[in-house]
Amino acid sequence: MAVPIAVLDCDLLLYGRGHRTLDRFKLEDVTDEYLVSTYGFPRQFIYYLVDLLGATLSRPTQRSRAISPETQILAALGFYTSGSFQTRMGDAIGISQASMSRCVANVTEALVERASQFIRFPEDEATVQSLKDDFYGLAGMPGVLGVVDCTHVAIKAPNAEDLSYVNRKGLHSLNCLMVCDARGVLLSAETHWPGSLPNCTVLEQAALTSQFETELRKDGWLLGDSSFLLRTWLMTPLHIPETPAEYRYNMAHSATHNIIERTLRTIRSRFRCLDGSKGTLQYSPEKSSHIILACCVLHNISLEHGLDVWSSPATGHMEQPEEEYEQMESVDSEACRIRQELLLTHFS
């Protein structure tokens, strides 16, 4: 019985023997403008990713041909930035939709393997002080080591019985906990939390909390909005400000915390696979979480390379099943004391 050629082609394109690769698309044959408009990034950035991920994406197999790392990366970038596996994307680089899907999986895992290299808190004192100075320069809020927030990314329903991913709007999602610095560089990204969990519960269970309570220095704090509880290392706004100092504190807090809100919006704008405009991520929660984390890694790499993502206009449908939350006040007396001292020292 004859085997359909198209089926063979999907497999043979991706997996090859040794280093024999199939190259139907050459970066040098197109303009930077074309690369940015189609794949979201310029030539030199793509070359950097080829150097970074090339060895991982060139694993030899027992079959006759393989897609080059360069083409795999283009396929993945095309999906991340468009949110689509449309045939025209594969046609542009000469591979099938099935092969594109495999390329996205390969590149995603290669980026996730390197997440700790690009998403991390600074450790040396000089960099930590620079971090605080940058935040202080925004609105006069001292001691800030990062701003934290959660964002929901819609995913397909894992199965009919699992309701843990159904958020308050009745949609399936992952609730992702993010921290960034004053430039929008991500310092922490936990992308795997089920959408049913409120922000305060995500933070309570997150590795971030353990990190701040057991490892990180005690001379600074994160800023979070009122969906989180006040902690000794997490300053939240006052629910009902009464004095001029309290109003000044809330205004400085809001202006500084806005950095993470802006960062999350621009990540969704650049990586359209996350914004809901092409539908939900059609993967398991684990694979969807890895795609989100891969986009976070790319976000940091692009800032490292001087690509200002904030200059990219937000376009299209920005569906985000954000939760509603009640204003919460902490019963942690030490946390309340620290915030009151901050009010008296810097805002009175």
Side-chain angles (χ1 to χ4, degrees), residues 100-156:
M100 274 203 62
S101 181
R102 295 188 186 97
C103 290
V104 171
N106 287 349
V107 174
T108 295
E109 292 311 307
L111 288 168
V112 167
E113 287 174 7
R114 291 160 177 79
S116 61
Q117 176 183 345
F118 294 100
I119 303 175
R120 63 188 187 278
F121 280 92
E123 296 180 356
D124 64 281
E125 290 186 10
T127 307
V128 170
Q129 186 58 51
S130 177
L131 188 66
K132 294 180 183 179
D133 292 343
D134 288 344
F135 276 119
Y136 187 78
L138 293 175
M141 182 69 77
V144 180
L145 299 169
V147 283
V148 59
D149 207 352
C150 287
T151 185
H152 286 259
V153 176
I155 63 171
K156 74 173 183 178

Side-chain angles (χ1 to χ4, degrees), residues 58-180:
S58 299
R59 297 187 182 103
T61 75
Q62 298 303 310
R63 299 187 182 183
S64 62
R65 293 183 294 172
I67 295 179
S68 69
E70 180 180 290
T71 303
Q72 291 186 61
I73 288 167
L74 287 172
L77 292 179
F79 170 70
Y80 297 148
T81 57
S82 73
S84 173
F85 281 127
Q86 290 180 357
T87 303
R88 62 178 180 81
M89 183 68 69
D91 289 345
I93 52 179
I95 62 174
S96 69
Q97 182 171 314
S99 291
M100 274 203 62
S101 181
R102 295 188 186 97
C103 290
V104 171
N106 287 349
V107 174
T108 295
E109 292 311 307
L111 288 168
V112 167
E113 287 174 7
R114 291 160 177 79
S116 61
Q117 176 183 345
F118 294 100
I119 303 175
R120 63 188 187 278
F121 280 92
E123 296 180 356
D124 64 281
E125 290 186 10
T127 307
V128 170
Q129 186 58 51
S130 177
L131 188 66
K132 294 180 183 179
D133 292 343
D134 288 344
F135 276 119
Y136 187 78
L138 293 175
M141 182 69 77
V144 180
L145 299 169
V147 283
V148 59
D149 207 352
C150 287
T151 185
H152 286 259
V153 176
I155 63 171
K156 74 173 183 178
N159 58 61
E161 291 75 29
D162 190 352
L163 300 179
S164 66
Y165 293 92
V166 179
N167 59 46
R168 291 193 179 186
K169 292 192 174 182
L171 304 172
H172 290 81
S173 67
L174 291 169
N175 195 4
C176 306
L177 181 71
M178 309 280 193
V179 180
C180 76

Side-chain angles (χ1 to χ4, degrees), residues 8 11-21 58-67:
L8 287 173
D11 288 335
L12 294 179
L13 282 173
L14 187 59
Y15 303 107
R17 180 182 297 115
H19 295 285
R20 295 176 59 195
T21 59
S58 299
R59 297 187 182 103
T61 75
Q62 298 303 310
R63 299 187 182 183
S64 62
R65 293 183 294 172
I67 295 179

Side-chain angles (χ1 to χ4, degrees), residues 291-311:
I291 287 172
I292 301 166
L293 185 55
C295 290
C296 291
V297 173
L298 288 172
H299 167 79
N300 275 11
I301 295 175
S302 35
L303 286 179
E304 189 177 284
H305 282 73
L307 302 178
D308 182 6
V309 296
W310 287 351
S311 66

